[in-house]
Amino acid sequence: MKLYIVGIGPGEAAQMTQRAQTALDCSEVIVGYTAYVDLVRPFFPDKTFLTTSMRGEVERCEMAVKYALEGRTVALICSGDAGVYGMASPALEAAQRFPQLDIEVVPGVTAACSGAALLGAPLSHDFAVVSLSDLLTPWALIEKRLACAAEADFVLCLYNPSSKKRADHLCRACAIVRQFRPAETPVGVVRSIGREGESWTVMTLEELRDYQADMFTTVFIGNSQTRVINGRLVTPRGYIHQ
Ligand code: SAH
């Protein structure tokens, strides 16, 4: 009777931790959103896979808890890190009434880290991560967090910058940050990290306004110190004085 909640990293096997691989190896049943299950299925062909649609988060957690309570070893997987806009908190909530259940949260490489590595070193100083998804958070609160983080000169890392329903959220976020930062502030955009079509680009805050992000995009907005060095986005830590 064991439930692993596993962050599998951005996509490719090389970016999955050994601990995550071991957890999947030990599990009989792997539960997840179809797209993530498809990423791991080739490496664990003899497991039982259970999938739900993208909006089936609660169903997925309940399913994982149910099978674990029946005595199976279950891995509930999600992309990146399980605790960063992932399944760890809803799964722990779903298991609230079952303190006897042995639950282990296995961390993974979140998009902020894998994306930052592609761009260079944008998160080398204090940074704030904000999701632009207003499915579970009121948009007014998202705007407030963006404004406060921008004013406090945090580097910003934006998850969920856009979707079909929320096409203008990134543009609106840019307008808020623009109140505190100049148009030429360096920005990095990464798409499909560790997956087919992986790409990254460096641009300015001004250019970001018109950028068409999708749900596999993570956006990095530099702070007052962030610079472009040989095409890479770098927020200096302050060791080397210019
Ligand atoms: N638990 C995940 C985040 C899930 S929220 C993690 O820790 O990475 C979904 C958002 O994460 C996406 O909209 C995107 O902003 C980011 N993201 C997740 N995987 C990504 C990938 N492979 N490439 C780029 N961005 C990704």
Side-chain angles (χ1 to χ4, degrees), residues 9-11 36 78-87 108-112 114 131 158-162 190-195 214-219:
Y36 304 143
C78 59
S79 78
D81 181 78
V84 180
Y85 312 116
M87 302 304 290
V109 181
T110 188
S114 53
S131 166
L158 307 180
Y159 281 52
N160 296 303
S162 188
V190 288
R191 282 203 65 238
S192 297
I193 307 159
R195 301 183 195 167
D214 63 16
M215 60 184 290
F216 304 113
T217 307
T218 302
V219 174

Short mmCIF file of all heavy atoms in Angstrom, two decimals, residues 9-11 36 78-87 108-112 114 131 158-162 190-195 214-219, ligand 1:
data_model
loop_
_atom_site.label_atom_id
_atom_site.label_comp_id
_atom_site.label_asym_id
_atom_site.label_seq_id
_atom_site.Cartn_x
_atom_site.Cartn_y
_atom_site.Cartn_z
N GLY A 9 9.83 15.53 -14.52
CA GLY A 9 10.69 16.46 -15.27
C GLY A 9 9.98 16.94 -16.52
O GLY A 9 8.81 16.63 -16.74
N PRO A 10 10.69 17.70 -17.35
CA PRO A 10 10.02 18.38 -18.46
C PRO A 10 9.51 17.45 -19.57
O PRO A 10 8.60 17.82 -20.31
CB PRO A 10 11.09 19.32 -19.00
CG PRO A 10 12.38 18.77 -18.53
CD PRO A 10 12.10 18.10 -17.22
N GLY A 11 10.08 16.28 -19.71
CA GLY A 11 9.58 15.42 -20.80
C GLY A 11 10.48 14.25 -21.10
O GLY A 11 10.11 13.10 -20.88
N TYR A 36 1.30 12.88 -20.40
CA TYR A 36 2.47 12.54 -19.59
C TYR A 36 2.67 11.04 -19.53
O TYR A 36 3.81 10.56 -19.53
CB TYR A 36 2.35 13.14 -18.18
CG TYR A 36 2.14 14.64 -18.21
CD1 TYR A 36 1.31 15.27 -17.31
CD2 TYR A 36 2.78 15.41 -19.18
CE1 TYR A 36 1.12 16.64 -17.37
CE2 TYR A 36 2.58 16.77 -19.25
CZ TYR A 36 1.75 17.39 -18.34
OH TYR A 36 1.56 18.74 -18.40
N CYS A 78 3.19 13.58 -12.76
CA CYS A 78 2.90 14.86 -13.41
C CYS A 78 4.20 15.43 -13.96
O CYS A 78 5.28 14.97 -13.60
CB CYS A 78 2.20 15.82 -12.47
SG CYS A 78 3.12 16.22 -11.01
N SER A 79 4.08 16.40 -14.85
CA SER A 79 5.28 16.93 -15.49
C SER A 79 6.03 17.84 -14.53
O SER A 79 5.46 18.35 -13.56
CB SER A 79 4.91 17.70 -16.76
OG SER A 79 4.42 18.97 -16.42
N GLY A 80 7.29 18.03 -14.79
CA GLY A 80 8.10 18.93 -13.97
C GLY A 80 8.21 18.42 -12.55
O GLY A 80 8.54 17.27 -12.30
N ASP A 81 7.90 19.30 -11.59
CA ASP A 81 7.90 18.92 -10.19
C ASP A 81 6.45 18.69 -9.74
O ASP A 81 5.55 19.43 -10.15
CB ASP A 81 8.53 20.04 -9.35
CG ASP A 81 8.55 19.67 -7.88
OD1 ASP A 81 9.43 18.87 -7.50
OD2 ASP A 81 7.69 20.14 -7.13
N ALA A 82 6.28 17.69 -8.88
CA ALA A 82 4.92 17.33 -8.44
C ALA A 82 4.30 18.39 -7.55
O ALA A 82 3.07 18.49 -7.44
CB ALA A 82 4.96 15.99 -7.71
N GLY A 83 5.13 19.22 -6.94
CA GLY A 83 4.60 20.22 -6.01
C GLY A 83 4.44 21.60 -6.62
O GLY A 83 3.93 22.51 -5.97
N VAL A 84 4.89 21.79 -7.85
CA VAL A 84 4.79 23.10 -8.52
C VAL A 84 3.63 23.03 -9.51
O VAL A 84 3.77 22.44 -10.59
CB VAL A 84 6.10 23.47 -9.23
CG1 VAL A 84 5.99 24.82 -9.91
CG2 VAL A 84 7.26 23.48 -8.23
N TYR A 85 2.49 23.61 -9.15
CA TYR A 85 1.27 23.50 -9.96
C TYR A 85 1.05 22.04 -10.40
O TYR A 85 0.70 21.78 -11.55
CB TYR A 85 1.32 24.42 -11.18
CG TYR A 85 1.75 25.84 -10.88
CD1 TYR A 85 2.93 26.35 -11.41
CD2 TYR A 85 0.99 26.66 -10.05
CE1 TYR A 85 3.34 27.65 -11.11
CE2 TYR A 85 1.40 27.94 -9.75
CZ TYR A 85 2.57 28.44 -10.29
OH TYR A 85 2.98 29.71 -10.00
N GLY A 86 1.35 21.12 -9.49
CA GLY A 86 1.27 19.70 -9.83
C GLY A 86 0.25 18.95 -9.00
O GLY A 86 -0.63 19.56 -8.38
N MET A 87 0.41 17.63 -8.94
CA MET A 87 -0.61 16.79 -8.32
C MET A 87 -0.37 16.54 -6.84
O MET A 87 -1.19 15.90 -6.19
CB MET A 87 -0.67 15.44 -9.06
CG MET A 87 -0.99 15.55 -10.54
SD MET A 87 -2.52 16.42 -10.86
CE MET A 87 -3.69 15.24 -10.24
N GLY A 108 10.81 16.66 -8.98
CA GLY A 108 11.28 16.59 -10.36
C GLY A 108 11.81 17.95 -10.79
O GLY A 108 11.70 18.94 -10.06
N VAL A 109 12.38 18.00 -11.98
CA VAL A 109 12.94 19.26 -12.49
C VAL A 109 11.79 20.09 -13.06
O VAL A 109 11.19 19.73 -14.07
CB VAL A 109 13.99 18.99 -13.59
CG1 VAL A 109 14.57 20.31 -14.09
CG2 VAL A 109 15.08 18.08 -13.09
N THR A 110 11.48 21.19 -12.38
CA THR A 110 10.37 22.03 -12.82
C THR A 110 10.77 22.89 -14.03
O THR A 110 11.96 23.13 -14.26
CB THR A 110 9.90 22.91 -11.63
OG1 THR A 110 8.70 23.58 -12.01
CG2 THR A 110 10.94 23.94 -11.22
N ALA A 111 9.76 23.34 -14.78
CA ALA A 111 10.02 24.09 -16.02
C ALA A 111 10.86 25.34 -15.76
O ALA A 111 11.64 25.76 -16.63
CB ALA A 111 8.70 24.47 -16.68
N ALA A 112 10.73 25.95 -14.58
CA ALA A 112 11.55 27.13 -14.27
C ALA A 112 13.03 26.77 -14.35
O ALA A 112 13.84 27.54 -14.89
CB ALA A 112 11.21 27.67 -12.88
N SER A 114 14.50 23.81 -15.80
CA SER A 114 14.95 23.29 -17.10
C SER A 114 14.94 24.39 -18.15
O SER A 114 15.81 24.45 -19.02
CB SER A 114 14.08 22.10 -17.54
OG SER A 114 12.71 22.45 -17.51
N SER A 131 1.72 31.86 -11.95
CA SER A 131 0.94 31.21 -13.00
C SER A 131 -0.11 32.19 -13.50
O SER A 131 -0.79 32.83 -12.70
CB SER A 131 0.25 29.96 -12.44
OG SER A 131 -0.73 29.52 -13.37
N LEU A 158 6.94 32.99 -15.58
CA LEU A 158 5.49 32.85 -15.76
C LEU A 158 5.14 31.48 -16.31
O LEU A 158 5.61 31.10 -17.39
CB LEU A 158 4.97 33.94 -16.70
CG LEU A 158 5.33 35.39 -16.36
CD1 LEU A 158 4.73 36.34 -17.39
CD2 LEU A 158 4.84 35.74 -14.96
N TYR A 159 4.32 30.75 -15.56
CA TYR A 159 3.78 29.47 -16.03
C TYR A 159 2.38 29.73 -16.60
O TYR A 159 1.76 30.74 -16.29
CB TYR A 159 3.64 28.49 -14.86
CG TYR A 159 4.92 27.80 -14.41
CD1 TYR A 159 6.06 28.53 -14.11
CD2 TYR A 159 4.97 26.43 -14.26
CE1 TYR A 159 7.22 27.89 -13.68
CE2 TYR A 159 6.12 25.78 -13.82
CZ TYR A 159 7.24 26.52 -13.53
OH TYR A 159 8.38 25.89 -13.09
N ASN A 160 1.90 28.80 -17.38
CA ASN A 160 0.56 28.89 -17.98
C ASN A 160 0.32 30.27 -18.62
O ASN A 160 -0.67 30.94 -18.31
CB ASN A 160 -0.52 28.63 -16.92
CG ASN A 160 -0.46 27.22 -16.37
OD1 ASN A 160 -0.54 26.25 -17.12
ND2 ASN A 160 -0.28 27.09 -15.07
N PRO A 161 1.22 30.71 -19.51
CA PRO A 161 1.09 32.08 -20.03
C PRO A 161 -0.09 32.24 -20.99
O PRO A 161 -0.51 33.37 -21.22
CB PRO A 161 2.41 32.31 -20.77
CG PRO A 161 2.87 30.94 -21.16
CD PRO A 161 2.40 30.04 -20.07
N SER A 162 -0.60 31.13 -21.50
CA SER A 162 -1.70 31.28 -22.45
C SER A 162 -2.42 29.96 -22.68
O SER A 162 -1.91 28.89 -22.40
CB SER A 162 -1.15 31.77 -23.79
OG SER A 162 -2.22 32.09 -24.64
N VAL A 190 10.70 29.89 -23.46
CA VAL A 190 11.07 28.50 -23.82
C VAL A 190 9.79 27.73 -24.13
O VAL A 190 8.76 27.93 -23.50
CB VAL A 190 11.86 27.79 -22.70
CG1 VAL A 190 13.25 28.35 -22.58
CG2 VAL A 190 11.15 27.90 -21.37
N ARG A 191 9.91 26.84 -25.12
CA ARG A 191 8.75 26.03 -25.52
C ARG A 191 9.12 24.56 -25.54
O ARG A 191 10.21 24.20 -25.97
CB ARG A 191 8.28 26.43 -26.92
CG ARG A 191 7.47 27.70 -26.98
CD ARG A 191 6.59 27.72 -28.22
NE ARG A 191 5.60 26.67 -28.17
CZ ARG A 191 5.47 25.72 -29.09
NH1 ARG A 191 6.26 25.67 -30.12
NH2 ARG A 191 4.54 24.79 -28.95
N SER A 192 8.20 23.74 -25.08
CA SER A 192 8.32 22.27 -25.18
C SER A 192 9.68 21.76 -24.73
O SER A 192 10.32 20.99 -25.45
CB SER A 192 8.04 21.83 -26.62
OG SER A 192 6.73 22.15 -26.97
N ILE A 193 10.09 22.16 -23.53
CA ILE A 193 11.39 21.74 -23.00
C ILE A 193 11.44 20.21 -22.92
O ILE A 193 10.51 19.58 -22.41
CB ILE A 193 11.60 22.30 -21.57
CG1 ILE A 193 11.38 23.81 -21.56
CG2 ILE A 193 12.98 21.94 -21.05
CD1 ILE A 193 11.07 24.36 -20.17
N GLY A 194 12.52 19.64 -23.43
CA GLY A 194 12.71 18.19 -23.35
C GLY A 194 11.74 17.40 -24.20
O GLY A 194 11.59 16.20 -24.02
N ARG A 195 11.05 18.09 -25.10
CA ARG A 195 10.08 17.39 -25.97
C ARG A 195 10.35 17.76 -27.41
O ARG A 195 11.15 18.65 -27.70
CB ARG A 195 8.65 17.81 -25.60
CG ARG A 195 8.33 17.50 -24.15
CD ARG A 195 6.91 17.84 -23.80
NE ARG A 195 6.77 17.87 -22.35
CZ ARG A 195 5.74 18.36 -21.70
NH1 ARG A 195 4.74 18.87 -22.37
NH2 ARG A 195 5.70 18.35 -20.39
N ASP A 214 1.87 29.38 -26.04
CA ASP A 214 0.87 28.32 -25.92
C ASP A 214 1.03 27.65 -24.56
O ASP A 214 1.79 28.11 -23.71
CB ASP A 214 0.98 27.32 -27.09
CG ASP A 214 2.31 26.59 -27.08
OD1 ASP A 214 3.01 26.62 -26.05
OD2 ASP A 214 2.66 26.01 -28.12
N MET A 215 0.31 26.57 -24.34
CA MET A 215 0.32 25.96 -23.00
C MET A 215 1.61 25.21 -22.68
O MET A 215 1.80 24.77 -21.55
CB MET A 215 -0.90 25.06 -22.81
CG MET A 215 -0.97 23.92 -23.79
SD MET A 215 -2.46 22.95 -23.61
CE MET A 215 -2.15 22.14 -22.06
N PHE A 216 2.51 25.10 -23.66
CA PHE A 216 3.82 24.46 -23.38
C PHE A 216 4.93 25.49 -23.35
O PHE A 216 6.08 25.20 -23.66
CB PHE A 216 4.11 23.37 -24.42
CG PHE A 216 3.03 22.33 -24.48
CD1 PHE A 216 2.23 22.20 -25.60
CD2 PHE A 216 2.80 21.50 -23.40
CE1 PHE A 216 1.21 21.25 -25.64
CE2 PHE A 216 1.78 20.56 -23.41
CZ PHE A 216 0.99 20.44 -24.54
N THR A 217 4.57 26.74 -23.03
CA THR A 217 5.54 27.83 -23.00
C THR A 217 5.77 28.29 -21.56
O THR A 217 4.81 28.38 -20.78
CB THR A 217 5.00 29.04 -23.81
OG1 THR A 217 4.63 28.60 -25.11
CG2 THR A 217 6.03 30.14 -23.92
N THR A 218 7.02 28.58 -21.22
CA THR A 218 7.34 29.23 -19.95
C THR A 218 8.12 30.51 -20.27
O THR A 218 8.98 30.50 -21.14
CB THR A 218 8.16 28.28 -19.03
OG1 THR A 218 7.38 27.09 -18.82
CG2 THR A 218 8.44 28.91 -17.68
N VAL A 219 7.76 31.58 -19.57
CA VAL A 219 8.30 32.91 -19.89
C VAL A 219 9.14 33.42 -18.72
O VAL A 219 8.76 33.25 -17.56
CB VAL A 219 7.12 33.90 -20.16
CG1 VAL A 219 7.64 35.32 -20.35
CG2 VAL A 219 6.32 33.45 -21.38
N1 SAH B 1 4.39 20.76 -12.60
C1 SAH B 1 4.87 21.47 -13.77
C2 SAH B 1 4.03 22.71 -14.07
C3 SAH B 1 2.62 22.41 -14.53
S1 SAH B 1 1.74 23.88 -14.94
C4 SAH B 1 6.35 21.83 -13.56
O1 SAH B 1 6.83 21.77 -12.43
O2 SAH B 1 7.02 22.17 -14.56
C5 SAH B 1 1.91 23.85 -16.72
C6 SAH B 1 2.86 24.94 -17.18
O3 SAH B 1 4.19 24.56 -16.86
C7 SAH B 1 2.88 25.17 -18.68
O4 SAH B 1 1.84 26.06 -19.10
C8 SAH B 1 4.24 25.77 -18.89
O5 SAH B 1 4.26 27.14 -18.51
C9 SAH B 1 5.08 24.98 -17.87
N2 SAH B 1 5.69 23.79 -18.48
C10 SAH B 1 5.54 22.53 -18.04
N3 SAH B 1 6.24 21.67 -18.80
C11 SAH B 1 6.88 22.42 -19.75
C12 SAH B 1 7.76 22.10 -20.83
N4 SAH B 1 8.13 20.84 -21.09
N5 SAH B 1 8.20 23.12 -21.60
C13 SAH B 1 7.84 24.40 -21.34
N6 SAH B 1 7.01 24.75 -20.34
C14 SAH B 1 6.52 23.78 -19.55
#
